[in-house]
Amino acid sequence: MESSSASRYTTVADVARLAQVSKAQAARALGGYGAVSDEVRSRVLAAAETLQYHPNELARSMNTGRSKTIGVVVGDIENPYFSLAMRGIYDTSKAGGFDVILINTGEDLATEIDAVNVLLDKRVDGMIVAPVTRSSSTHLNRVVDSGRPVVLLDRKLPSLPVDSVVAEMRQVSYEATRHLLDEGHTRVGYISSLDVGGVEFTVDLDLGTNPVTERLAGMRRAFDEADVPLPADLIRLGAGKQYSIGDLVQALVTGPDPATAIVASDSVIALEALAELQRAEVRIPDDVSFLMFDELPWAGLMTPPITVVAQPVYDQGVAAAAILLRRIGGDRSEPEHLALPSRLIRRGSVAPVGSAVVGASA
Amino acid sequence: MESSSASRYTTVADVARLAQVSKAQAARALGGYGAVSDEVRSRVLAAAETLQYHPNELARSMNTGRSKTIGVVVGDIENPYFSLAMRGIYDTSKAGGFDVILINTGEDLATEIDAVNVLLDKRVDGMIVAPVTRSSSTHLNRVVDSGRPVVLLDRKLPSLPVDSVVAEMRQVSYEATRHLLDEGHTRVGYISSLDVGGVEFTVDLDLGTNPVTERLAGMRRAFDEADVPLPADLIRLGAGKQYSIGDLVQALVTGPDPATAIVASDSVIALEALAELQRAEVRIPDDVSFLMFDELPWAGLMTPPITVVAQPVYDQGVAAAAILLRRIGGDRSEPEHLALPSRLIRRGSVAPVGSAVVGASA
DNA sequence: GCCTAGAATGAGACCGGACTCACACGGGTT
DNA sequence: AACCCGTGTGAGTCCGGTCTCATTCTAGGC
């Protein structure tokens, strides 16, 4: 009794029957391969039309071994960074005739491992992964072993011989920090969601290979060149994981030797930090200067407009997909490591230190 | 010569061979069905372990007829509305053991039709579609005919007997408009990206069934009740398609009888409108009041904070996925039409009309 | 007029699982 | 001793395509 007839799909066999030819001939006419007479072809095509035939991609994938699908594994699709990168990936894949399966990891390693396995089991032709920070790469090795191409996004894993696409960060972070130093900021706070398991930041903590490490390296170089000690006590990791962003911001702007400038590692952090600053009635840039990584449409519309480091996010997606498609196409050359240029956009949220303190508090 | 051995996957047959049992027994042990002795089971499992066996989901899907995958068709994943809804869909699907294939239509009907067909050919177990406005529903009928469930998101199609999840719009739009009228705004501009092929808006233009129609209905009711004529000349459709948003805003705030309040139909439009207003040095709310549909984190951080209509976007995604999963589970009850409550959040961007004109321009 | 290359065609293997069927085996009934 | 049932097992079919292989048909070459 269970259910009413689940309306079976029409198959090549059905088409063949109606067209009065063998299954093989029908398949040939439909697939456009082998030799088929015009007579048969038109009969088969007509039959397919009347029967509304659509090939079962699953069956097709199974014995061609290729699914014309790529998998994308990201940390959080809700994050504008990923959704924009996704758009780049999507547009490029589609232009190449590939569909996209999206998997969201919630920045969790176990989920990421699972995601990669699922994609492999679904026989995607390749995948783009934005690996969770501090993830090991054993699960990605399985992909490499399977012979399917992987491209890493926003992160490279030194141990893994695969292509990667990141935004150049060290140089632009150096520039951004110099900008802050030029304005007199030596107490620069940095807030990142990088998960290091709650360990406190110290100058020689190994954070692995990721954008945050690069940014901190650029920052350090600027401080070193200016001969100013890097304010390690103001560099806070685990934001939004171990620690609330609001608390972190509070801690930075209060205390005996507070930060005079705050750098937000991404737009999600920036939003929460700005909200907290507003709640605490800390004015930007009068009381504290503010800089964020990632350029979003709203950044320039705030009062004051926010100074940002703009990364070519969409282009990263495009580049990653382009490389992946090339690999799927059979390119076996050495892994490529692309670093797309980022740039500092100076707006109004960074001002000389103490610029308005006297006038404003009086 | 083509390529080096594409490292074949291990199959049940391989596992069976190593475990010295028949393929059938191995499959049973692996799949956890039928009767298998403890002896055989452990041998098979051990073999699977050493061979790193992973089942081919394609093959599995093919003869179970179910792929444990749902398809999602959205207009633009880069739009925060969709990425947040996607997150809701994603979380819910995943909890139910389903993977998600994402297809982006770029708000194009042809692409949408294609997308739906692709998903069908990939044999997804069901799909969630946010249909392009003014789309016909013939392509969705094919889905219905196939017996696979579809849930519409953000839109219902009267001709299509399927579930839908939307945000309640008429009532909240009524409230928002009353709020504007209460503040003395009778010249209210409305900017929407709804594509009507460049036709100008008139009060009796049929826009089909979609959120914009609902909003305009709520708006009209408020105007009717206040006995004020609906300013049809200020209602502009096709924003970002036929017309540039900047030009539209310019047109609204200039002219002999300009708008005193502007309503942006979504956050993307709002962002561009705000940028244009800033360029034109039109102050909010002194020169013009502003209201947008969709609540985003930055809205409350602007100066002044933006008054918005908040829709439960994430929850819409969750609800759509929940209904879909229920249908996949075999629920054959009448189509459900869910309208999740939205609410007006009054902030600082709406002020009494003419409130600061004299003081500010003097 | 005969031979052959190549087009046209059908039968059937195959991809990798899920699942049906037939059968062997052992213990409990009567 | 004959019978039954349930567990365990292997052989083999099926899903819906792709593709190989053998066969037939036809046209061109000598």
Side-chain angles (χ1 to χ4, degrees), chain A residues 46-185:
Chain A
E49 180 61 31
T50 53
L51 290 179
Q52 284 259 55
Y53 170 76
H54 285 265
N56 180 333
E57 288 300 331
L58 252 38
R60 173 175 291 171
S61 298
M62 207 169 96
N63 47 17
T64 57
R66 41 190 57 261
S67 57
K68 276 286 181 182
T69 304
I70 69 164
V72 177
V73 180
V74 301
D76 178 10
I77 192 60
E78 193 194 336
N79 183 320
Y81 175 89
F82 286 128
S83 59
L84 185 50
M86 183 70 193
R87 185 71 199 279
I89 292 170
Y90 187 86
D91 291 349
T92 309
S93 305
K94 170 158 189 179
F98 284 78
D99 297 312
V100 178
I101 296 186
L102 170 69
I103 301 199
N104 201 76
T105 64
E107 299 287 2
D108 174 61
L109 180 56
T111 311
E112 179 177 308
I113 293 174
D114 206 54
V116 167
N117 285 333
V118 165
L119 290 175
L120 233 31
D121 297 346
K122 280 199 190 291
R123 298 296 188 264
V124 295
D125 292 337
M127 58 180 93
I128 294 175
V129 181
V132 166
T133 41
R134 289 175 64 77
S135 73
S136 71
S137 61
T138 44
H139 60 299
L140 292 172
N141 272 317
R142 198 194 138 205
V143 186
V144 175
D145 292 347
S146 81
R148 282 182 174 47
V150 200
V151 175
L152 300 182
L153 184 65
D154 197 37
R155 177 96 192 279
K156 45 187 159 183
L157 259 24
S159 57
L160 204 66
V162 302
D163 305 294
S164 67
V165 176
V166 301
E168 191 291 308
M169 274 299 145
R170 194 183 287 238
Q171 177 61 23
V172 79
S173 172
Y174 165 77
E175 279 168 38
T177 310
R178 272 210 55 167
H179 175 45
L180 290 171
L181 284 164
D182 287 349
E183 300 291 338
H185 298 281

Side-chain angles (χ1 to χ4, degrees), chain B residues 12 23 33 53 60 63:
Chain B
V12 264
K23 187 181 136 199
Y33 61 93
Y53 170 76
R60 173 174 291 170
N63 48 16

Side-chain angles (χ1 to χ4, degrees), chain B residues 116-139:
Chain B
V116 167
N117 285 332
V118 165
L119 290 176
L120 233 31
D121 296 348
K122 280 199 189 290
R123 298 294 188 265
V124 295
D125 293 336
M127 58 180 92
I128 294 175
V129 181
V132 165
T133 40
R134 288 174 65 76
S135 73
S136 70
S137 60
T138 43
H139 59 299

Side-chain angles (χ1 to χ4, degrees), chain B residues 300-319:
Chain B
L301 297 174
M302 305 282 283
T303 311
I306 308 293
T307 292
V308 303
V309 168
Q311 334 176 27
V313 183
Y314 180 85
D315 292 342
Q316 281 180 69
V318 169

Side-chain angles (χ1 to χ4, degrees), chain B residues 69-263:
Chain B
T69 304
I70 69 165
V72 177
V73 180
V74 302
D76 178 10
I77 191 60
E78 195 194 334
N79 183 320
Y81 175 89
F82 286 128
S83 58
L84 185 50
M86 183 68 192
R87 186 69 199 279
I89 292 170
Y90 187 86
D91 291 349
T92 309
S93 305
K94 171 157 188 182
F98 284 78
D99 297 311
V100 178
I101 296 187
L102 170 70
I103 301 198
N104 201 78
T105 63
E107 299 287 2
D108 175 60
L109 180 56
T111 311
E112 179 177 307
I113 293 174
D114 207 54
V116 167
N117 285 332
V118 165
L119 290 176
L120 233 31
D121 296 348
K122 280 199 189 290
R123 298 294 188 265
V124 295
D125 293 336
M127 58 180 92
I128 294 175
V129 181
V132 165
T133 40
R134 288 174 65 76
S135 73
S136 70
S137 60
T138 43
H139 59 299
L140 292 172
N141 273 317
R142 197 193 138 207
V143 187
V144 175
D145 291 347
S146 81
R148 282 183 176 47
V150 199
V151 175
L152 300 182
L153 184 66
D154 198 36
R155 178 97 192 278
K156 45 186 159 184
L157 259 26
S159 56
L160 204 66
V162 303
D163 305 294
S164 68
V165 176
V166 302
E168 191 292 309
M169 274 299 146
R170 192 183 289 237
Q171 176 61 24
V172 79
S173 173
Y174 166 75
E175 280 168 39
T177 310
R178 271 212 53 167
H179 175 44
L180 291 170
L181 286 164
D182 286 350
E183 301 291 337
H185 298 281
T186 55
R187 297 290 293 162
V188 176
Y190 182 89
I191 306 179
S192 162
S193 57
L194 183 68
D195 189 350
V196 288
V199 185
E200 214 159 278
F201 177 79
T202 53
V203 282
D204 38 41
L205 182 62
D206 179 18
L207 301 176
T209 318
N210 62 56
V212 173
T213 303
E214 292 292 298
R215 289 173 197 171
L216 289 174
M219 204 167 148
R220 182 181 315 188
R221 189 182 133 213
F223 271 89
D224 285 353
E225 281 188 16
D227 216 8
V228 174
L230 185 76
D233 59 313
L234 299 179
I235 294 172
R236 303 304 179 89
L237 308 175
K241 311 246 167 70
Q242 286 89 7
Y243 309 105
S244 110
I245 295 169
D247 292 351
L248 250 25
V249 170
Q250 274 295 348
L252 289 183
V253 297
T254 53
D257 194 7
T260 61
I262 292 179
V263 177

